[in-house]
Amino acid sequence: MARTIGSHGPTTLEAIRKAGVRLIFEHGYEAMSLRQLAAEVGIQAGSLYNHISTKQDLLFDLVQDHINDLLRELDLALEGKADPVERLRAFVAFHVTYHMTRKREVFIANSELRSLDAKNYDAVVALRGAYEQRLAQILTDGMSEGVFEVVDIQVATFAILALLTGLCTWYRPGGRLTRDDIIAAHEKLVLSGVAPQAAAGQASHGSRGPRTAVAGS
């Protein structure tokens, strides 16, 4: 590969980060070597140390920046929304959209936690906890206002996040559903899962009639 134009400064650091994301995503952190990373960027292996301290530091910076972006953009998506139902819809729409468009970063942040040393691991887990707390607070507020009903806030938080993040394993651009279709489907799943039982029972009762008529026709 040709040498990167301007093999120093912010331009090269950004090239290193982008190459690092791609190589870790494709090969895994342990399999990626700094020599391979330097070749990808187009600089000498020794020149990497002008921009990163260690391979571990690169991984930590990538994961930390990803979660900081996640937190910052979520707060913007929730800004000005007070109603818990509206906030939960906004959370779902944001989380699904982000995970559709940042699949590599999401994969690395989830799969390479094991590769972080103890100090970096603790820092990342704390950041993840802050993101989880945003959702937990929405559910708590909804419980207080009587619009949500969940058995356990922490269990519900982890279950919703697992449901929403799961699309990373199957989503491919250009499929039969639009992005809005996928967001709407996830919103319905999440909101129906936290709806008070009385409301859910009414919805189920109201939809039972047409199914019976079809079955008997």
Short mmCIF file of all heavy atoms in Angstrom, two decimals, residues 128-185:
data_model
loop_
_atom_site.label_atom_id
_atom_site.label_comp_id
_atom_site.label_asym_id
_atom_site.label_seq_id
_atom_site.Cartn_x
_atom_site.Cartn_y
_atom_site.Cartn_z
N ARG A 128 -20.40 1.81 30.00
CA ARG A 128 -21.56 1.01 29.59
C ARG A 128 -22.67 1.12 30.64
O ARG A 128 -23.86 1.18 30.30
CB ARG A 128 -21.15 -0.45 29.41
CG ARG A 128 -20.37 -0.71 28.13
CD ARG A 128 -19.68 -2.06 28.18
NE ARG A 128 -20.62 -3.15 28.33
CZ ARG A 128 -20.95 -4.00 27.36
NH1 ARG A 128 -20.42 -3.86 26.16
NH2 ARG A 128 -21.78 -4.99 27.57
N GLY A 129 -22.28 1.14 31.90
CA GLY A 129 -23.26 1.27 32.96
C GLY A 129 -24.01 2.59 32.88
O GLY A 129 -25.22 2.66 33.17
N ALA A 130 -23.32 3.65 32.48
CA ALA A 130 -23.97 4.96 32.33
C ALA A 130 -25.02 4.92 31.22
O ALA A 130 -26.09 5.52 31.35
CB ALA A 130 -22.93 6.04 32.04
N TYR A 131 -24.70 4.21 30.15
CA TYR A 131 -25.67 4.07 29.05
C TYR A 131 -26.87 3.25 29.50
O TYR A 131 -28.03 3.61 29.24
CB TYR A 131 -25.00 3.42 27.84
CG TYR A 131 -25.88 3.38 26.61
CD1 TYR A 131 -26.02 4.51 25.81
CD2 TYR A 131 -26.54 2.22 26.25
CE1 TYR A 131 -26.82 4.48 24.68
CE2 TYR A 131 -27.35 2.19 25.12
CZ TYR A 131 -27.48 3.31 24.34
OH TYR A 131 -28.30 3.29 23.22
N GLU A 132 -26.61 2.16 30.18
CA GLU A 132 -27.70 1.32 30.69
C GLU A 132 -28.58 2.10 31.65
O GLU A 132 -29.81 1.92 31.68
CB GLU A 132 -27.11 0.09 31.38
CG GLU A 132 -26.42 -0.87 30.43
CD GLU A 132 -25.44 -1.81 31.14
OE1 GLU A 132 -25.32 -1.70 32.39
OE2 GLU A 132 -24.80 -2.62 30.45
N GLN A 133 -27.97 2.98 32.44
CA GLN A 133 -28.72 3.76 33.43
C GLN A 133 -29.69 4.72 32.74
O GLN A 133 -30.76 5.01 33.30
CB GLN A 133 -27.76 4.53 34.33
CG GLN A 133 -28.44 5.31 35.44
CD GLN A 133 -29.33 4.44 36.33
OE1 GLN A 133 -28.99 3.29 36.61
NE2 GLN A 133 -30.45 4.99 36.78
N ARG A 134 -29.34 5.20 31.55
CA ARG A 134 -30.27 6.07 30.82
C ARG A 134 -31.58 5.33 30.57
O ARG A 134 -32.67 5.88 30.78
CB ARG A 134 -29.67 6.52 29.48
CG ARG A 134 -28.36 7.25 29.53
CD ARG A 134 -28.46 8.63 30.13
NE ARG A 134 -27.37 9.49 29.71
CZ ARG A 134 -26.14 9.49 30.23
NH1 ARG A 134 -25.82 8.64 31.19
NH2 ARG A 134 -25.22 10.34 29.80
N LEU A 135 -31.48 4.10 30.11
CA LEU A 135 -32.68 3.30 29.86
C LEU A 135 -33.38 2.93 31.15
O LEU A 135 -34.62 3.01 31.25
CB LEU A 135 -32.32 2.03 29.08
CG LEU A 135 -33.44 1.02 28.83
CD1 LEU A 135 -34.62 1.68 28.11
CD2 LEU A 135 -32.92 -0.18 28.04
N ALA A 136 -32.63 2.55 32.17
CA ALA A 136 -33.23 2.19 33.45
C ALA A 136 -34.03 3.34 34.04
O ALA A 136 -35.10 3.14 34.62
CB ALA A 136 -32.14 1.74 34.43
N GLN A 137 -33.53 4.56 33.87
CA GLN A 137 -34.23 5.72 34.40
C GLN A 137 -35.55 5.97 33.65
O GLN A 137 -36.55 6.34 34.25
CB GLN A 137 -33.35 6.97 34.32
CG GLN A 137 -33.92 8.17 35.06
CD GLN A 137 -34.12 7.89 36.53
OE1 GLN A 137 -33.17 7.52 37.23
NE2 GLN A 137 -35.34 8.07 37.04
N ILE A 138 -35.53 5.75 32.34
CA ILE A 138 -36.77 5.88 31.57
C ILE A 138 -37.81 4.89 32.07
O ILE A 138 -38.99 5.23 32.27
CB ILE A 138 -36.49 5.66 30.07
CG1 ILE A 138 -35.60 6.78 29.51
CG2 ILE A 138 -37.80 5.58 29.28
CD1 ILE A 138 -35.11 6.52 28.10
N LEU A 139 -37.39 3.65 32.29
CA LEU A 139 -38.31 2.63 32.78
C LEU A 139 -38.81 2.97 34.18
O LEU A 139 -39.99 2.79 34.50
CB LEU A 139 -37.63 1.26 32.76
CG LEU A 139 -37.21 0.73 31.40
CD1 LEU A 139 -36.47 -0.60 31.55
CD2 LEU A 139 -38.41 0.55 30.47
N THR A 140 -37.91 3.46 35.02
CA THR A 140 -38.28 3.84 36.39
C THR A 140 -39.32 4.96 36.39
O THR A 140 -40.32 4.92 37.11
CB THR A 140 -37.04 4.27 37.18
OG1 THR A 140 -36.12 3.17 37.25
CG2 THR A 140 -37.41 4.70 38.59
N ASP A 141 -39.08 5.96 35.54
CA ASP A 141 -40.02 7.07 35.44
C ASP A 141 -41.38 6.59 34.94
O ASP A 141 -42.43 7.03 35.42
CB ASP A 141 -39.48 8.15 34.51
CG ASP A 141 -38.25 8.85 35.08
OD1 ASP A 141 -38.00 8.72 36.30
OD2 ASP A 141 -37.53 9.50 34.30
N GLY A 142 -41.35 5.68 33.97
CA GLY A 142 -42.60 5.14 33.45
C GLY A 142 -43.36 4.33 34.48
O GLY A 142 -44.60 4.36 34.54
N MET A 143 -42.63 3.61 35.31
CA MET A 143 -43.24 2.87 36.41
C MET A 143 -43.91 3.85 37.38
O MET A 143 -45.04 3.63 37.84
CB MET A 143 -42.20 2.04 37.13
CG MET A 143 -41.70 0.83 36.36
SD MET A 143 -42.79 -0.59 36.53
CE MET A 143 -42.42 -1.07 38.24
N SER A 144 -43.21 4.91 37.73
CA SER A 144 -43.73 5.89 38.68
C SER A 144 -45.01 6.55 38.17
O SER A 144 -45.92 6.86 38.94
CB SER A 144 -42.68 6.97 38.96
OG SER A 144 -41.52 6.41 39.56
N GLU A 145 -45.09 6.75 36.84
CA GLU A 145 -46.26 7.40 36.26
C GLU A 145 -47.35 6.41 35.87
O GLU A 145 -48.41 6.80 35.38
CB GLU A 145 -45.84 8.23 35.04
CG GLU A 145 -44.91 9.38 35.40
CD GLU A 145 -44.58 10.27 34.23
OE1 GLU A 145 -45.37 10.26 33.24
OE2 GLU A 145 -43.56 10.98 34.28
N GLY A 146 -47.09 5.11 36.06
CA GLY A 146 -48.10 4.10 35.78
C GLY A 146 -48.28 3.75 34.32
O GLY A 146 -49.25 3.09 33.95
N VAL A 147 -47.32 4.16 33.47
CA VAL A 147 -47.45 3.86 32.04
C VAL A 147 -46.63 2.63 31.65
O VAL A 147 -46.81 2.09 30.55
CB VAL A 147 -47.05 5.06 31.17
CG1 VAL A 147 -48.02 6.21 31.37
CG2 VAL A 147 -45.62 5.52 31.48
N PHE A 148 -45.72 2.20 32.53
CA PHE A 148 -44.95 0.97 32.31
C PHE A 148 -45.18 0.03 33.48
O PHE A 148 -45.44 0.46 34.61
CB PHE A 148 -43.45 1.25 32.20
CG PHE A 148 -43.04 2.12 31.05
CD1 PHE A 148 -41.88 2.89 31.14
CD2 PHE A 148 -43.79 2.19 29.89
CE1 PHE A 148 -41.49 3.69 30.09
CE2 PHE A 148 -43.41 3.00 28.83
CZ PHE A 148 -42.26 3.76 28.93
N GLU A 149 -45.05 -1.25 33.18
CA GLU A 149 -45.13 -2.26 34.23
C GLU A 149 -44.06 -3.31 33.95
O GLU A 149 -44.14 -4.01 32.94
CB GLU A 149 -46.51 -2.90 34.25
CG GLU A 149 -46.71 -3.92 35.36
CD GLU A 149 -48.13 -4.48 35.39
OE1 GLU A 149 -49.07 -3.68 35.26
OE2 GLU A 149 -48.28 -5.71 35.52
N VAL A 150 -43.06 -3.38 34.81
CA VAL A 150 -41.99 -4.37 34.65
C VAL A 150 -41.75 -5.04 36.00
O VAL A 150 -41.94 -4.43 37.05
CB VAL A 150 -40.68 -3.75 34.12
CG1 VAL A 150 -40.89 -3.13 32.74
CG2 VAL A 150 -40.15 -2.71 35.08
N VAL A 151 -41.32 -6.28 35.96
CA VAL A 151 -41.08 -7.01 37.20
C VAL A 151 -39.81 -6.52 37.89
O VAL A 151 -39.76 -6.36 39.11
CB VAL A 151 -40.97 -8.52 36.90
CG1 VAL A 151 -40.59 -9.30 38.16
CG2 VAL A 151 -42.29 -9.05 36.34
N ASP A 152 -38.77 -6.25 37.09
CA ASP A 152 -37.49 -5.82 37.65
C ASP A 152 -36.83 -4.87 36.65
O ASP A 152 -36.66 -5.22 35.47
CB ASP A 152 -36.60 -7.04 37.90
CG ASP A 152 -35.29 -6.68 38.56
OD1 ASP A 152 -34.34 -6.31 37.84
OD2 ASP A 152 -35.22 -6.76 39.80
N ILE A 153 -36.46 -3.69 37.11
CA ILE A 153 -35.90 -2.67 36.22
C ILE A 153 -34.61 -3.14 35.56
O ILE A 153 -34.40 -2.98 34.35
CB ILE A 153 -35.65 -1.35 36.98
CG1 ILE A 153 -36.97 -0.73 37.43
CG2 ILE A 153 -34.87 -0.36 36.10
CD1 ILE A 153 -37.85 -0.26 36.30
N GLN A 154 -33.70 -3.74 36.35
CA GLN A 154 -32.42 -4.16 35.79
C GLN A 154 -32.60 -5.27 34.76
O GLN A 154 -31.98 -5.24 33.69
CB GLN A 154 -31.48 -4.62 36.90
CG GLN A 154 -30.06 -4.91 36.41
CD GLN A 154 -29.12 -5.26 37.54
OE1 GLN A 154 -29.45 -6.07 38.40
NE2 GLN A 154 -27.95 -4.65 37.56
N VAL A 155 -33.45 -6.24 35.08
CA VAL A 155 -33.71 -7.32 34.13
C VAL A 155 -34.32 -6.75 32.84
O VAL A 155 -33.92 -7.12 31.72
CB VAL A 155 -34.63 -8.39 34.74
CG1 VAL A 155 -35.08 -9.38 33.67
CG2 VAL A 155 -33.92 -9.12 35.87
N ALA A 156 -35.28 -5.86 32.99
CA ALA A 156 -35.92 -5.26 31.81
C ALA A 156 -34.91 -4.47 30.99
O ALA A 156 -34.92 -4.52 29.75
CB ALA A 156 -37.07 -4.36 32.25
N THR A 157 -34.03 -3.74 31.66
CA THR A 157 -33.01 -2.96 30.96
C THR A 157 -32.11 -3.87 30.13
O THR A 157 -31.88 -3.62 28.93
CB THR A 157 -32.16 -2.17 31.97
OG1 THR A 157 -32.99 -1.23 32.65
CG2 THR A 157 -31.03 -1.42 31.27
N PHE A 158 -31.59 -4.92 30.74
CA PHE A 158 -30.70 -5.83 30.02
C PHE A 158 -31.44 -6.56 28.89
O PHE A 158 -30.88 -6.77 27.80
CB PHE A 158 -30.10 -6.85 30.98
CG PHE A 158 -29.12 -6.27 31.96
CD1 PHE A 158 -28.83 -6.92 33.15
CD2 PHE A 158 -28.47 -5.07 31.69
CE1 PHE A 158 -27.92 -6.39 34.06
CE2 PHE A 158 -27.56 -4.53 32.59
CZ PHE A 158 -27.29 -5.18 33.77
N ALA A 159 -32.69 -6.92 29.13
CA ALA A 159 -33.46 -7.64 28.11
C ALA A 159 -33.73 -6.75 26.90
O ALA A 159 -33.60 -7.19 25.74
CB ALA A 159 -34.78 -8.14 28.70
N ILE A 160 -34.10 -5.50 27.15
CA ILE A 160 -34.37 -4.57 26.04
C ILE A 160 -33.10 -4.30 25.24
O ILE A 160 -33.11 -4.31 24.00
CB ILE A 160 -34.97 -3.26 26.58
CG1 ILE A 160 -36.39 -3.51 27.09
CG2 ILE A 160 -34.99 -2.19 25.49
CD1 ILE A 160 -36.99 -2.34 27.85
N LEU A 161 -31.98 -4.09 25.94
CA LEU A 161 -30.73 -3.83 25.23
C LEU A 161 -30.31 -5.05 24.39
O LEU A 161 -29.81 -4.89 23.27
CB LEU A 161 -29.63 -3.46 26.23
CG LEU A 161 -29.77 -2.08 26.87
CD1 LEU A 161 -28.73 -1.90 27.97
CD2 LEU A 161 -29.63 -0.99 25.82
N ALA A 162 -30.49 -6.24 24.94
CA ALA A 162 -30.15 -7.45 24.18
C ALA A 162 -31.02 -7.57 22.94
O ALA A 162 -30.54 -7.93 21.85
CB ALA A 162 -30.32 -8.68 25.07
N LEU A 163 -32.31 -7.26 23.08
CA LEU A 163 -33.22 -7.32 21.93
C LEU A 163 -32.81 -6.33 20.86
O LEU A 163 -32.70 -6.69 19.67
CB LEU A 163 -34.64 -7.00 22.42
CG LEU A 163 -35.69 -6.73 21.31
CD1 LEU A 163 -35.95 -7.98 20.51
CD2 LEU A 163 -36.98 -6.19 21.92
N LEU A 164 -32.54 -5.09 21.26
CA LEU A 164 -32.23 -4.05 20.28
C LEU A 164 -30.87 -4.27 19.62
O LEU A 164 -30.71 -4.04 18.42
CB LEU A 164 -32.26 -2.68 20.96
CG LEU A 164 -33.59 -2.25 21.58
CD1 LEU A 164 -33.44 -0.88 22.23
CD2 LEU A 164 -34.69 -2.22 20.54
N THR A 165 -29.89 -4.70 20.40
CA THR A 165 -28.54 -4.90 19.87
C THR A 165 -28.47 -6.14 19.00
O THR A 165 -27.59 -6.25 18.14
CB THR A 165 -27.53 -4.98 21.02
OG1 THR A 165 -27.66 -3.81 21.85
CG2 THR A 165 -26.09 -5.04 20.51
N GLY A 166 -29.40 -7.06 19.18
CA GLY A 166 -29.40 -8.30 18.41
C GLY A 166 -29.48 -8.10 16.91
O GLY A 166 -29.06 -8.97 16.14
N LEU A 167 -29.99 -6.95 16.48
CA LEU A 167 -30.11 -6.74 15.03
C LEU A 167 -28.76 -6.71 14.33
O LEU A 167 -28.67 -6.93 13.11
CB LEU A 167 -30.91 -5.48 14.72
CG LEU A 167 -30.32 -4.11 15.05
CD1 LEU A 167 -29.38 -3.61 13.98
CD2 LEU A 167 -31.43 -3.09 15.23
N CYS A 168 -27.69 -6.49 15.11
CA CYS A 168 -26.35 -6.47 14.51
C CYS A 168 -26.00 -7.83 13.89
O CYS A 168 -25.14 -7.91 13.01
CB CYS A 168 -25.30 -6.09 15.54
SG CYS A 168 -25.34 -4.36 16.04
N THR A 169 -26.62 -8.90 14.35
CA THR A 169 -26.30 -10.23 13.85
C THR A 169 -27.02 -10.56 12.55
O THR A 169 -26.62 -11.49 11.86
CB THR A 169 -26.64 -11.30 14.90
OG1 THR A 169 -28.06 -11.32 15.13
CG2 THR A 169 -25.92 -11.03 16.21
N TRP A 170 -28.08 -9.81 12.23
CA TRP A 170 -28.84 -10.17 11.02
C TRP A 170 -29.10 -9.01 10.07
O TRP A 170 -29.40 -9.24 8.89
CB TRP A 170 -30.19 -10.79 11.41
CG TRP A 170 -31.07 -9.94 12.29
CD1 TRP A 170 -31.19 -10.02 13.63
CD2 TRP A 170 -31.95 -8.88 11.88
NE1 TRP A 170 -32.08 -9.08 14.11
CE2 TRP A 170 -32.57 -8.38 13.05
CE3 TRP A 170 -32.28 -8.32 10.64
CZ2 TRP A 170 -33.49 -7.32 13.01
CZ3 TRP A 170 -33.19 -7.28 10.60
CH2 TRP A 170 -33.79 -6.79 11.78
N TYR A 171 -28.96 -7.78 10.52
CA TYR A 171 -29.30 -6.65 9.65
C TYR A 171 -28.29 -6.50 8.52
O TYR A 171 -27.09 -6.54 8.73
CB TYR A 171 -29.36 -5.36 10.45
CG TYR A 171 -29.50 -4.14 9.56
CD1 TYR A 171 -30.69 -3.86 8.90
CD2 TYR A 171 -28.42 -3.29 9.34
CE1 TYR A 171 -30.82 -2.76 8.07
CE2 TYR A 171 -28.53 -2.18 8.51
CZ TYR A 171 -29.73 -1.92 7.88
OH TYR A 171 -29.85 -0.83 7.04
N ARG A 172 -28.81 -6.35 7.31
CA ARG A 172 -28.00 -6.04 6.14
C ARG A 172 -28.68 -4.92 5.37
O ARG A 172 -29.90 -5.01 5.11
CB ARG A 172 -27.85 -7.25 5.22
CG ARG A 172 -27.13 -8.44 5.84
CD ARG A 172 -25.66 -8.17 6.09
NE ARG A 172 -24.98 -9.34 6.61
CZ ARG A 172 -24.95 -9.70 7.88
NH1 ARG A 172 -25.60 -8.97 8.78
NH2 ARG A 172 -24.30 -10.77 8.28
N PRO A 173 -27.96 -3.87 4.98
CA PRO A 173 -28.57 -2.80 4.18
C PRO A 173 -29.14 -3.36 2.88
O PRO A 173 -28.61 -4.31 2.31
CB PRO A 173 -27.40 -1.86 3.89
CG PRO A 173 -26.40 -2.16 4.97
CD PRO A 173 -26.53 -3.62 5.26
N GLY A 174 -30.26 -2.78 2.44
CA GLY A 174 -30.85 -3.20 1.18
C GLY A 174 -31.78 -4.38 1.29
O GLY A 174 -32.17 -4.96 0.27
N GLY A 175 -32.15 -4.76 2.51
CA GLY A 175 -33.09 -5.86 2.70
C GLY A 175 -34.51 -5.45 2.37
O GLY A 175 -34.78 -4.33 1.93
N ARG A 176 -35.46 -6.35 2.63
CA ARG A 176 -36.85 -6.09 2.24
C ARG A 176 -37.51 -5.03 3.11
O ARG A 176 -38.50 -4.42 2.69
CB ARG A 176 -37.66 -7.38 2.29
CG ARG A 176 -37.81 -7.99 3.67
CD ARG A 176 -38.59 -9.29 3.63
NE ARG A 176 -38.72 -9.88 4.95
CZ ARG A 176 -39.67 -9.53 5.82
NH1 ARG A 176 -40.57 -8.63 5.49
NH2 ARG A 176 -39.71 -10.11 7.01
N LEU A 177 -37.00 -4.78 4.33
CA LEU A 177 -37.58 -3.78 5.21
C LEU A 177 -36.73 -2.52 5.20
O LEU A 177 -35.50 -2.57 5.17
CB LEU A 177 -37.66 -4.32 6.65
CG LEU A 177 -38.56 -5.53 6.87
CD1 LEU A 177 -38.46 -5.98 8.33
CD2 LEU A 177 -40.01 -5.21 6.52
N THR A 178 -37.40 -1.37 5.23
CA THR A 178 -36.69 -0.11 5.34
C THR A 178 -36.20 0.09 6.77
O THR A 178 -36.62 -0.62 7.69
CB THR A 178 -37.59 1.08 4.97
OG1 THR A 178 -38.62 1.20 5.96
CG2 THR A 178 -38.22 0.88 3.60
N ARG A 179 -35.34 1.06 6.94
CA ARG A 179 -34.85 1.37 8.28
C ARG A 179 -36.02 1.75 9.20
O ARG A 179 -36.07 1.32 10.36
CB ARG A 179 -33.83 2.50 8.22
CG ARG A 179 -33.23 2.86 9.56
CD ARG A 179 -32.14 3.90 9.41
NE ARG A 179 -31.04 3.42 8.60
CZ ARG A 179 -29.96 4.12 8.32
NH1 ARG A 179 -29.83 5.36 8.79
NH2 ARG A 179 -29.00 3.61 7.58
N ASP A 180 -36.96 2.54 8.68
CA ASP A 180 -38.12 2.94 9.49
C ASP A 180 -38.98 1.73 9.86
O ASP A 180 -39.53 1.68 10.97
CB ASP A 180 -38.96 3.96 8.73
CG ASP A 180 -38.30 5.33 8.65
OD1 ASP A 180 -37.36 5.57 9.42
OD2 ASP A 180 -38.72 6.15 7.81
N ASP A 181 -39.10 0.77 8.95
CA ASP A 181 -39.87 -0.45 9.25
C ASP A 181 -39.24 -1.20 10.42
O ASP A 181 -39.93 -1.70 11.32
CB ASP A 181 -39.91 -1.38 8.04
CG ASP A 181 -40.77 -0.84 6.90
OD1 ASP A 181 -41.68 -0.04 7.18
OD2 ASP A 181 -40.52 -1.23 5.75
N ILE A 182 -37.91 -1.30 10.39
CA ILE A 182 -37.20 -2.04 11.44
C ILE A 182 -37.31 -1.32 12.78
O ILE A 182 -37.52 -1.95 13.82
CB ILE A 182 -35.74 -2.26 11.03
CG1 ILE A 182 -35.67 -3.17 9.79
CG2 ILE A 182 -34.93 -2.86 12.17
CD1 ILE A 182 -34.30 -3.29 9.19
N ILE A 183 -37.19 0.00 12.75
CA ILE A 183 -37.35 0.77 13.98
C ILE A 183 -38.75 0.58 14.55
O ILE A 183 -38.93 0.34 15.75
CB ILE A 183 -37.08 2.26 13.72
CG1 ILE A 183 -35.59 2.48 13.42
CG2 ILE A 183 -37.51 3.11 14.91
CD1 ILE A 183 -35.26 3.89 12.96
N ALA A 184 -39.77 0.67 13.69
CA ALA A 184 -41.16 0.53 14.14
C ALA A 184 -41.41 -0.85 14.74
O ALA A 184 -42.11 -0.98 15.76
CB ALA A 184 -42.11 0.77 12.97
N ALA A 185 -40.83 -1.89 14.15
CA ALA A 185 -41.01 -3.24 14.68
C ALA A 185 -40.40 -3.37 16.06
O ALA A 185 -40.99 -3.98 16.97
CB ALA A 185 -40.38 -4.26 13.72
#
